[in-house]
Amino acid sequence: MSFLIRQTLIYAVPLMVVALAGIFAERSGIINLALEGIMIFGAFIGVLFVRMLQAQGLFDAAKAGGSWMTLQGYLLLAMLVAALLGAVFSLLLAFAAINLRADQTIGGTALNMLAPALVLFLVRIIAKQNQLLLLKGDSATWFMIKKTMLGYDKNDELGFLADTFLNKVYLTTYVCILVFVVLAIILYKTKFGLRLRACGENPQAADSLGINVARMRYAGTTISGALAGMGGFVYAVTTANCSANGDVAGFGFLALAVMIFGNWKPLNVAGGALLFGLFKCVAACYSTLDINGDGVFALAQLGLNANFYRLLPYVITLVVLAFTSKSSRAPKAEGIPYDKGQR
């Protein structure tokens, strides 16, 4: 059960953060279909930054000194860099949607096409292959937190909670949860959040009260890009062995589904992300999933084709959206370019 919870969180947390990215953009009035593309770009930037640190010998020095906290610091720094460059990349969408009043759906689709092409082009230049890998080791080698790092012996038996949340986990999981909680509070409990949401519901009324609609929409889209970029790198670290190849397995589109399923509300989004994360976990680990800890791999013994489990997250997405889309209420002004002259 500990393994199931750990793996579910690994898949759910990037979905949760990227779905929150969509909420920030759409609550400000901008449809951000480019979440997938920004995730791809963020994953590439984060992996490239870690690779550059490795080339400087910083990772080897930290490993030789037994300083796993230093390695976690490098991981957090890479998350920050991925978030910053994700925010910069999202400015392309913001400029097109706000300044040029371009169709936001087409703008997001264009970025989704641009990101993998740009990333693969750069990867070919840097690595001379179609995948950017670390110079040495992988995510588990450098970043995974294990019980021996916390003072336990390798053979020590941990309790359920300690084994679930302190052994074989990534710091990125808890950082993302903290970021999610803080930004959800900012969105719903602060003046900034109220103004942002007003711009997505009735920008003319917001403007009449002195709120700069364009600035707030830029802020929403930039925060959205930062979260999606960070989510892309977290996906690369936790599920792709810290590699970048111009693909994030459709997590950006799944995050959009989670956002709609959650009705653009952070708490609902968190629940939806855990649901989809569970099915992604089952799809990835069904053959080695021991739910009760009794040594029996029940799902593998069913004899179902592996593709059935791989399809599950996407089928569940379609089913859930089919039943919940009628009750979903999007921000009224999302996708509508703001015209100051309209009342």
Side-chain angles (χ1 to χ4, degrees), residues 11-289:
Y11 287 106
V13 164
L15 280 177
M16 200 164 67
V17 168
V18 179
L20 184 64
I23 290 176
F24 263 91
E26 300 203 7
R27 283 294 185 186
S28 72
I30 303 295
I31 297 175
N32 191 355
L33 289 184
L35 294 177
E36 177 91 357
I38 301 172
M39 281 188 74
I40 290 171
F41 188 70
F44 165 73
I45 291 297
V47 173
L48 178 62
F49 182 76
V50 172
R51 185 183 166 104
M52 291 169 63
L53 292 180
Q54 282 188 316
Q56 299 296 319
L58 297 177
F59 274 58
D60 288 329
K63 191 85 168 181
S67 180
W68 66 273
M69 285 296 293
T70 301
L71 293 174
Q72 298 303 318
Y74 293 148
L75 177 62
L76 295 179
L77 189 58
M79 288 178 65
L80 179 61
V81 171
L84 287 174
L85 270 294
V88 171
F89 191 68
S90 69
L91 290 176
L92 293 172
L93 175 64
F95 180 76
I98 299 169
N99 294 81
L100 304 182
R101 298 185 183 179
D103 187 287
Q104 296 168 20
T105 303
I106 295 175
T109 303
L111 289 188
N112 283 336
M113 297 173 68
L114 172 64
L118 177 62
V119 165
L120 284 174
F121 173 71
L122 294 174
V123 167
R124 289 288 293 178
I125 292 175
I126 296 167
K128 311 301 181 188
Q129 57 185 12
N130 292 329
Q131 189 174 26
L132 186 67
L133 303 171
L134 298 185
L135 295 176
K136 185 188 297 183
D138 56 14
S139 294
T141 304
W142 301 110
F143 302 128
M144 182 179 280
I145 299 174
K146 301 169 185 174
K147 60 184 178 182
T148 53
M149 298 175 179
L150 304 174
Y152 295 98
D153 188 74
K154 189 174 182 180
N155 297 319
D156 285 348
E157 290 291 333
L158 301 181
F160 173 74
L161 290 177
D163 188 44
T164 302
F165 298 108
L166 297 178
N167 186 34
K168 296 181 180 179
V169 296
Y170 291 95
L171 183 61
T172 53
T173 298
Y174 303 114
V175 171
C176 285
I177 291 173
L178 178 62
V179 168
F180 182 90
V181 172
V182 170
L183 288 180
I185 292 173
I186 288 174
L187 184 62
Y188 277 91
K189 300 296 181 180
T190 66
K191 184 186 295 185
F192 169 80
L194 177 62
R195 290 179 173 181
L196 186 82
R197 289 183 287 123
C199 292
E201 293 291 340
N202 194 329
Q204 282 78 20
D207 190 18
S208 69
L209 294 174
I211 298 171
N212 189 319
V213 176
R215 185 181 300 168
M216 295 306 297
R217 288 188 169 183
Y218 260 105
T221 309
T222 304
I223 293 172
S224 177
L227 288 172
M230 183 175 70
F233 176 61
V234 170
Y235 165 84
V237 169
T238 56
T239 66
N241 282 324
C242 217
S243 64
N245 60 358
D247 181 40
V248 289
F251 261 62
F253 296 115
L254 275 176
L256 283 171
V258 169
M259 178 189 69
I260 297 170
F261 169 66
N263 205 17
W264 290 266
K265 296 178 180 178
L267 189 60
N268 295 348
V269 160
L274 288 172
L275 173 66
F276 289 108
L278 174 62
F279 284 104
K280 285 293 289 184
C281 172
V282 170
C285 312
Y286 75 94
S287 62
T288 57
L289 195 57

